[in-house]
Amino acid sequence: MLIGYARVSTQEQTLDLQTDALERSGCEKIFTDTTSGAKSERPGLQEAMNHLRAGDTLIVWRLDRLGRTLKHLIATITQLNDTGIGFKSLQENMDTTTSGGKLIFHIFGALAEFEREVIKERTNAGLQAARARGRLGGRPKIQTKDPKKIALARKLYNDASMPVQVICEQLHISKSTLYRYVGEKRIRKQLSNL
């Protein structure tokens, strides 16, 4: 059975061009979505995937109608292939039920894998270059404990004439840091009283 899938990104666009082409190609049932290709939730595509059985072929007007990215497109076509379902794109003239179509699909897969490896290599090279310059990635370190700043924070907090938010703004610290500074003193006092 030939199953069609068509998608447009906005309500202003029309599915007519795609559905007409899918009907001409012999699709017995056509599923549609009106949503951006960047969105992962596409109920029409999910319904089409649930409807497909081994031996069926999913047909789209163009490859970009099916996959959000090349990686997603390859994953979707691989999933179809693994369950014995063919795939055909009308504009790109790709048909995974033929040997030539399978070859093109495998070339796409190899290109996507190559792209992932190149990105990984560039990321690692960038990290190494940053480390060589003394920069480390990750979350910033907690502020060093400046005894003068801690004493001033405690004094302002215990004075109670200044709101906590103002203390934090003046000392350029967060509320949690202020409470940590104040809490350390209270814990030490409690321990010394034991």
Side-chain angles (χ1 to χ4, degrees):
M1 176 184 270
L2 301 178
I3 304 296
Y5 174 70
R7 180 185 59 80
V8 290
S9 299
T10 65
Q11 295 288 344
E12 292 78 35
Q13 295 174 327
T14 177
L15 290 161
D16 295 342
L17 173 70
Q18 295 176 54
T19 55
D20 289 348
L22 293 171
E23 286 171 1
R24 279 193 305 275
S25 69
C27 290
E28 298 171 40
K29 194 156 181 69
I30 298 173
F31 296 90
T32 63
D33 277 319
T34 303
T35 184
S36 168
K39 299 206 178 204
S40 59
E41 288 187 28
R42 293 188 275 171
L45 178 59
Q46 190 58 52
E47 197 176 341
M49 297 296 271
N50 292 339
H51 191 79
L52 289 162
R53 301 289 176 254
D56 290 348
T57 300
L58 178 65
I59 302 177
V60 294
W61 181 64
R62 277 184 32 186
L63 287 172
D64 66 348
R65 302 296 87 196
L66 180 65
R68 299 188 315 267
T69 61
L70 181 58
K71 182 180 177 181
H72 178 256
L73 179 66
I74 290 170
T76 304
I77 296 173
T78 300
Q79 178 186 356
L80 292 171
N81 192 41
D82 291 347
T83 53
I85 298 167
F87 173 76
K88 187 174 183 181
S89 172
L90 301 176
Q91 290 296 303
E92 288 83 7
N93 206 14
M94 181 176 154
D95 184 353
T96 63
T97 61
T98 68
S99 56
K102 285 179 185 174
L103 173 65
I104 291 171
F105 172 66
H106 287 296
I107 291 170
F108 280 173
L111 289 172
E113 188 174 335
F114 174 73
E115 179 186 30
R116 283 191 300 271
E117 289 299 319
V118 167
I119 290 169
K120 191 161 73 172
E121 287 173 8
R122 273 187 279 182
T123 301
N124 287 334
L127 289 171
Q128 287 175 354
R131 283 188 202 110
R133 288 178 178 77
R135 290 183 294 203
L136 299 175
R139 189 174 180 167
K141 302 283 186 236
I142 295 175
Q143 292 180 352
T144 58
K145 294 185 178 186
D146 179 1
K148 290 179 183 177
K149 197 174 208 179
I150 293 172
L152 180 57
R154 288 177 179 159
K155 180 181 177 192
L156 293 173
Y157 181 80
N158 290 331
D159 185 24
S161 64
M162 191 181 290
V164 169
Q165 185 65 35
V166 175
I167 296 170
C168 293
E169 287 171 4
Q170 284 195 352
L171 297 177
H172 303 289
I173 60 175
S174 66
K175 285 183 183 180
S176 61
T177 301
L178 174 65
Y179 290 131
R180 190 171 56 249
Y181 287 171
V182 174
E184 287 175 3
K185 181 182 175 191
R186 289 185 182 155
I187 291 170
R188 280 196 214 111
K189 274 187 179 177
Q190 291 170 353
L191 292 175
S192 64
N193 291 336
L194 295 176

